[in-house]
């Protein structure tokens, strides 16, 4: 843990809150790499250790001196993977220390384990994130939308604790801790949006047009059939030069990411050509910030609030 305060006065600071190690590589990764390369201080906050994740990469081999059977063994492997991913992105990273809830599967769904992050009472679950916000002092926070973006209890709860920290970190009367950092009010809050329908269609059409097999055909059909309203995308951050850093971060999560799998199904030149952006929804702001925009720091950069 860096010594307090973690953030540097006068330098723009971005905090990306995620549920598990590897989520920072699959959601907004190129954005964090880009801002870090441009001199923004970037801190990835990871709520859980990912210790209930299964091996999702058939080629994964447990690193020497490790095991991937116990929760402690998985936690240790995933910490090493996370460190390599953070290095690939050029960002700092901080664990909140909660335990992965696992993805319940079956009908009826089995109950969560009692140590699960998603069962920790809100005040207790949000407290270390509030403290991290007060120490790092981010101008901008990214998190997930209320659905979690994916029906995993940890993703939904990551949204909940992020909203609590957004509301409470600036209030000195809340989350009062002996020796805690002073209150800090973050200025903009975004939801990550990885796969909007316009993005899926643009990539799908480009691949079909080049005679390639698109991975998105069925997904587009089911999204359209379900008639679920699409969440608004307010912000497209150009990040194509940082796809390589994102890919290196994905590969660093060797137990989770199959180099021949979903995240690598779209040729990078096609992606850079038709969808060179990461997508966000501006969910809340405390500075004037007209949308659409192409920079998470619009309304902050170069103003007196960028302290
Ligand atoms: Zn996750």
């Amino acid at each position: 843990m860096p010594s307090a305060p973690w953030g540097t006065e006068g330098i723009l600071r971005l905090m990306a809150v995620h549920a598990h190690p590897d989520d920072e590589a699959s959601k907004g990764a190129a954005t964090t790499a880009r801002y870090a390369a441009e001199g923004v201080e970037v801190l990835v906050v990871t709520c859980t250790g990912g210790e209930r994740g299964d091996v999702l990469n058939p080629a994964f081999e447990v690193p020497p001196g490790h095991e991937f059977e116990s929760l402690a063994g998985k936690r240790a492997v995933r910490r090493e993977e996370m460190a390599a991913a953070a290095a690939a992105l050029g960002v700092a990273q901080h664990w909140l220390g909660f335990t992965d809830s696992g993805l319940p599967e079956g009908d009826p769904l089995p109950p969560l384990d009692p140590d699960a992050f998603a069962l920790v009472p809100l005040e207790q679950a949000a407290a270390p994130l509030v403290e991290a916000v007060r120490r790092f002092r981010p101008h901008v926070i990214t998190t997930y939308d209320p659905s979690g973006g994916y029906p995993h209890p940890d993703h939904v709860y990551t949204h909940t604790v992020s909203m609590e920290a957004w509301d409470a970190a600036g209030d000195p009367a809340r989350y009062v801790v002996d020796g805690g950092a002073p209150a800090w009010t973050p200025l903009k809050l975004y939801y990550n949006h990885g796969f909007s329908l316009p993005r899926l269609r643009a990539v799908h059409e480009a691949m079909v047009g080049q005679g390639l097999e698109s991975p998105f055909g069925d997904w587009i059909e089911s999204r359209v059939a379900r008639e679920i309203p699409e969440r608004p995308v307010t912000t497209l951050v150009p990040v194509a030069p940082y796809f390589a850093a994102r890919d290196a971060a994905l590969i660093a999560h060797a137990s989770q990411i199959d180099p021949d799998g979903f995240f690598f199904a779209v040729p990078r030149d096609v992606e850079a050509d038709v969808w060179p952006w990461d997508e966000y929804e501006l969910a809340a702001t405390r500075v004037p910030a007209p949308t659409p925009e192409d920079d998470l720091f619009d309304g902050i950069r170069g103003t007196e609030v960028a302290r």
Side-chain angles (χ1 to χ4, degrees):
M1 187 180 293
S3 57
W6 303 341
T8 308
E9 187 103 15
I11 292 183
L12 293 173
R13 298 177 297 275
L14 170 65
M15 174 184 281
V17 185
H18 290 287
H20 308 111
D22 77 13
D23 287 317
E24 85 297 330
S26 60
K27 290 168 262 298
T31 302
T32 58
R34 178 191 143 176
Y35 282 120
E38 291 176 353
V40 172
E41 288 188 355
V42 180
L43 181 67
V44 166
V45 173
T46 315
C47 295
T48 80
E51 51 278 89
R52 285 202 171 89
D54 296 322
V55 171
L56 301 177
N57 172 14
F60 171 69
E61 286 176 22
V62 179
H66 286 279
E67 48 92 6
F68 208 75
E69 303 298 323
S70 69
L71 290 190
K74 289 187 182 184
R75 191 177 298 131
V77 170
R78 299 202 66 181
R79 280 190 173 244
E80 288 191 4
E81 293 176 349
M82 181 67 243
L89 296 173
V91 305
Q93 187 265 347
H94 174 64
W95 301 96
L96 293 191
F98 294 104
T99 302
D100 190 343
S101 303
L103 179 60
E105 285 173 304
D107 184 16
L109 290 175
L112 298 179
D113 287 281
D115 61 356
F117 171 54
L119 297 180
V120 177
L122 180 58
E123 285 250 325
Q124 209 180 317
L129 183 57
V130 170
E131 182 63 13
V133 168
R134 288 174 177 172
R135 287 198 184 275
F136 181 63
R137 303 176 296 170
H139 302 95
V140 173
I141 296 177
T142 66
T143 187
Y144 310 147
D145 72 47
S147 75
Y150 160 62
H152 190 300
D154 291 335
H155 284 236
V156 176
Y157 210 40
T158 294
H159 164 81
T160 307
V161 298
S162 299
M163 300 315 289
E164 178 76 355
W166 165 261
D167 287 337
D171 182 348
R174 299 186 65 192
Y175 290 88
V176 181
V177 184
D178 252 7
W184 174 262
T185 305
L187 299 173
K188 294 173 88 178
L189 178 83
Y190 289 91
Y191 298 153
N192 290 107
H193 286 313
F195 295 94
S196 70
L197 208 43
R199 175 185 175 186
L200 294 183
R201 284 190 166 126
V203 172
H204 177 79
E205 280 161 24
M207 288 185 72
V208 170
Q210 295 184 24
L212 300 167
E213 194 178 330
S214 162
F216 295 152
D218 292 347
W219 196 8
I220 293 170
E221 275 179 33
S222 77
R223 288 263 287 264
V224 172
R226 281 181 295 160
E227 294 181 345
I228 298 169
E230 293 285 312
R231 296 197 65 93
V233 170
T234 60
T235 311
L236 291 175
V237 181
V239 292
Y242 298 93
F243 285 163
R246 174 203 59 192
D247 291 347
L250 284 165
I251 293 290
H253 290 287
S255 67
Q256 303 299 305
I257 304 291
D258 179 354
D260 299 318
F262 173 79
F263 286 109
F264 293 90
V266 178
R268 279 7 189 182
D269 55 336
V270 172
E271 191 181 29
D273 220 26
V274 302
W275 208 268
W277 308 288
D278 274 342
E279 305 168 87
Y280 296 87
E281 174 182 346
L282 179 61
T285 181
R286 297 181 168 119
V287 294
T291 57
E293 49 171 23
D294 62 4
D295 177 9
L296 303 184
F297 291 92
D298 263 7
I300 299 172
R301 197 183 287 280
T303 73
E304 63 183 23
V305 295
R307 63 195 174 87

